[in-house]
């Protein structure tokens, strides 16, 4: 791809803002740990924003699928098959720094916190599964034994498993882009059918945790990345596409409570994955940068949330559970206020002194001649 056809900014505000929107949905969907949802219906139609965790995961997977695939393709074009390991290594190191630090904190808390009721065996097995990125498999088979404060980390396991397979595919067939496109399309159809079947036969819990049932959103992001060059012929339509995709994403969020979990594992999940794939394609084109949707999603508060999304995602649920078990006699409002205060302080420190320095360091791994003028690939 010629330089003039590459995304001109190393960091696109609308993509960062969409990530911020997704992490907001995740944080709100788990706030029931400290503030129960028993009267959530009273704030309708805004109640959907407190039930959008699965929708947020689909958004994250599409974003990551798009950005990581672009990075892997660039690495393949630079170094051939030997280069694709570098983006994967960068991503693994950045995510693992946060995850392993959390696991150390959990292991220490399990020893010194008298109110931590998890058994030693549960803590040990859970931390091993999280550390080896097999957590989604473990939680699916041992739901009653797994630590609840680590439950959300299944997403990182699914993501890494998908991207390992993706890196292998690009290493083998990176020069055959059409074949990759066809293969991804076939996989999207197969995974979508399989998710429907698993949901119908085994229920929502199993369908939520299988890699083979949650990979569809990542595959849509991968497909968008593979088609990015071809999509340049429709650059003039990018602002309209971005606006329409934004409307669909917001509508899906608002409809979350009304339609229920059935809709997510059927049509709703497909709609948000396709809309997000179109969003990332359109947002990465310069023509859409000043559109109303880009300005909305690129607002400073959402960009700030997007910048700290990894740290916030990893740490929010353990903080919720820790505060909840130490404030059982507090009012819901008081518990929520202290939870937010602790989380903001913790995320600020960890983002500044762990995530950002690590991002800068890992960004130099495997680079040739300095950074490319391409889309930022860190999530």
């Amino acid at each position: 791809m010629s330089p003039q056809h590459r995304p001109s900014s190393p960091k696109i505000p609308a993509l960062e803002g969409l990530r911020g929107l997704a992490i907001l949905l995740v944080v709100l969907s788990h706030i029931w740990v400290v503030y129960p949802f028993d009267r959530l219906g009273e704030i309708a139609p805004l109640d959907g924003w407190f039930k959008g965790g699965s929708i947020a995961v689909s958004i994250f997977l599409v974003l990551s699928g798009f950005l990581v695939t672009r990075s892997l393709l660039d690495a393949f074009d630079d170094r051939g098959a030997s280069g694709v390991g570098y983006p994967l290594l960068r991503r693994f190191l950045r995510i693992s720094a946060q995850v392993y630090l959390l696991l150390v904190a959990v292991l220490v808390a399990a020893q010194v916190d008298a109110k931590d009721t998890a058994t030693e065996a549960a803590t040990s097995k859970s931390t091993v599964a999280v550390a080896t990125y097999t957590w989604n498999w473990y939680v699916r088979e041992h739901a009653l034994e797994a630590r609840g404060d680590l439950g959300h980390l299944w997403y990182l396991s699914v993501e890494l498993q998908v991207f390992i397979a993706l890196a292998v595919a690009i290493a083998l067939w990176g020069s055959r882009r059409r074949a990759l496109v066809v293969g991804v399309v076939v996989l999207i159809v197969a995974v979508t059918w399989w998710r429907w079947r698993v949901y119908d036969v085994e229920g929502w819990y199993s369908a939520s945790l299988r890699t083979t049932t949650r990979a569809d959103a990542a595959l849509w992001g991968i497909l968008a990345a593979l088609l990015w060059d071809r999509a340049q012929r429709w650059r003039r339509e990018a602002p309209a596409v971005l606006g329409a995709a934004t409307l669909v994403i917001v509508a899906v969020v608002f409809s979350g409570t009304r339609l229920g979990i059935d809709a997510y594992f059927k049509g709703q999940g497909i709609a948000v994955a396709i809309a997000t794939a179109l969003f990332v394609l359109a947002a990465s084109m310069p023509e859409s940068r000043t559109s109303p949707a880009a300005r909305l999603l690129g607002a400073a508060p959402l960009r700030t949330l997007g910048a700290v999304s990894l740290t916030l995602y990893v740490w929010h649920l353990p903080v919720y559970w820790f505060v909840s078990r130490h404030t059982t006699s507090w009012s819901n409002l008081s518990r929520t206020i202290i939870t937010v205060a602790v989380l903001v302080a913790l995320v600020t420190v960890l983002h500044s002194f762990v995530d950002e320095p690590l991002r800068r360091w890992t960004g130099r791994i495997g680079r040739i001649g300095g950074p490319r003028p391409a889309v930022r690939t860190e999530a």
Side-chain angles (χ1 to χ4, degrees):
M1 179 168 56
S2 61
Q4 64 268 29
H5 288 160
R6 290 185 182 279
S8 59
S9 173
K11 199 169 188 179
I12 297 174
L15 294 186
E16 198 79 346
L18 183 61
R19 186 182 287 121
L21 176 66
I23 193 60
L24 177 63
L25 290 171
V26 169
V27 169
L28 290 177
S29 72
H30 292 144
I31 199 68
W32 62 267
V33 174
V34 291
Y35 200 112
F37 285 167
D38 52 341
R39 300 175 64 183
L40 195 57
E42 296 179 5
I43 63 170
L46 297 177
D47 50 344
W49 291 80
F50 292 83
K51 299 289 186 179
S54 294
I55 295 168
V57 167
S58 289
I59 293 173
F60 274 133
L61 285 171
V62 174
L63 276 167
S64 298
F66 176 78
L67 295 170
V68 170
T69 303
R70 291 307 311 172
S71 184
L72 289 169
L73 293 174
D74 284 344
F76 182 88
D77 292 339
D78 281 343
R79 293 173 177 256
S82 63
V84 299
Y86 292 112
L88 193 63
L89 177 61
R90 291 195 295 267
R91 189 165 187 82
F92 173 80
L93 291 174
R94 189 174 171 214
I95 291 175
S96 295
Q98 297 271 9
V99 170
Y100 293 165
L101 184 59
L102 171 62
L103 293 181
V104 170
V106 168
L107 289 171
V108 171
Q111 295 299 316
V112 302
D113 185 1
K115 294 190 176 183
D116 188 334
T117 58
T119 66
E120 183 176 346
T123 298
S124 176
K125 292 178 181 179
S126 294
T127 53
V128 168
V130 171
T132 56
Y133 293 98
T134 58
W135 180 232
N136 62 311
W137 304 341
Y138 181 83
V139 173
R140 178 173 168 268
E141 298 296 334
H142 305 88
L144 299 179
E145 302 171 26
R147 286 189 63 103
D149 54 357
L150 299 177
H152 63 304
L153 298 179
W154 67 266
Y155 157 73
L156 297 178
S157 295
V158 169
E159 185 187 82
L160 189 61
Q161 293 161 22
V162 170
F163 292 147
I164 289 174
L166 173 65
V168 172
I170 291 178
L172 294 175
W173 302 295
S175 59
R176 302 174 62 186
R177 303 291 165 87
R178 290 184 179 180
L180 285 174
V181 168
V182 172
V184 170
V185 170
V186 170
L187 282 175
I188 288 174
V189 174
V191 168
T192 301
W193 173 85
W194 176 241
R195 188 166 81 163
W196 288 352
R197 178 171 175 77
V198 170
Y199 177 73
D200 289 337
V201 175
E202 301 179 18
W204 69 270
Y205 187 78
S206 182
S208 296
L209 295 170
R210 286 178 180 267
T211 306
T212 52
T213 56
R214 297 310 295 263
D216 61 314
L219 289 169
W220 279 107
I222 293 167
L223 181 62
L226 290 169
L227 295 176
W228 197 89
D229 292 336
R230 295 177 180 273
Q232 299 311 300
R233 67 188 69 178
W234 293 292
R235 291 173 67 169
R236 291 183 179 180
E237 286 73 36
V241 172
L242 189 69
T246 301
L247 288 175
V248 172
I249 292 170
V250 172
V252 168
V253 173
F254 272 104
S255 69
T257 300
R258 299 294 171 272
L259 298 179
I261 197 68
D262 287 343
Y264 174 75
F265 281 102
K266 297 298 178 71
Q268 191 187 54
I270 298 173
V272 75
I274 295 175
T276 306
L278 292 172
F279 183 100
V280 297
L281 274 175
S284 63
M285 298 179 188
E287 288 77 5
S288 67
R289 304 291 170 83
T290 59
S291 68
R295 290 197 298 268
L296 175 65
L297 270 298
L302 286 177
R303 293 204 318 272
T304 300
L305 284 174
V308 301
S309 59
L310 174 60
T311 306
L312 189 52
Y313 185 87
V314 171
W315 290 88
H316 79 281
L317 193 56
V319 169
Y320 286 3
W321 280 108
F322 181 85
V323 173
S324 70
R325 64 177 178 258
H326 286 273
T327 58
T328 54
S329 62
W330 294 27
S331 68
N332 290 338
L333 181 59
S334 299
R335 299 171 78 192
T336 303
I337 291 173
I338 191 64
T339 299
V340 171
V342 170
L343 191 58
V344 168
L346 182 63
V347 168
T348 299
V349 171
L350 291 174
H351 179 72
S352 299
F353 295 101
V354 177
D355 191 45
E356 272 298 298
L358 189 67
R359 181 186 63 79
R360 290 192 293 269
W361 176 73
T362 57
R364 296 192 292 268
I365 296 176
R367 300 293 189 186
I368 298 178
R372 279 178 170 270
V375 176
R376 176 76 58 83
T377 57
E378 295 87 359

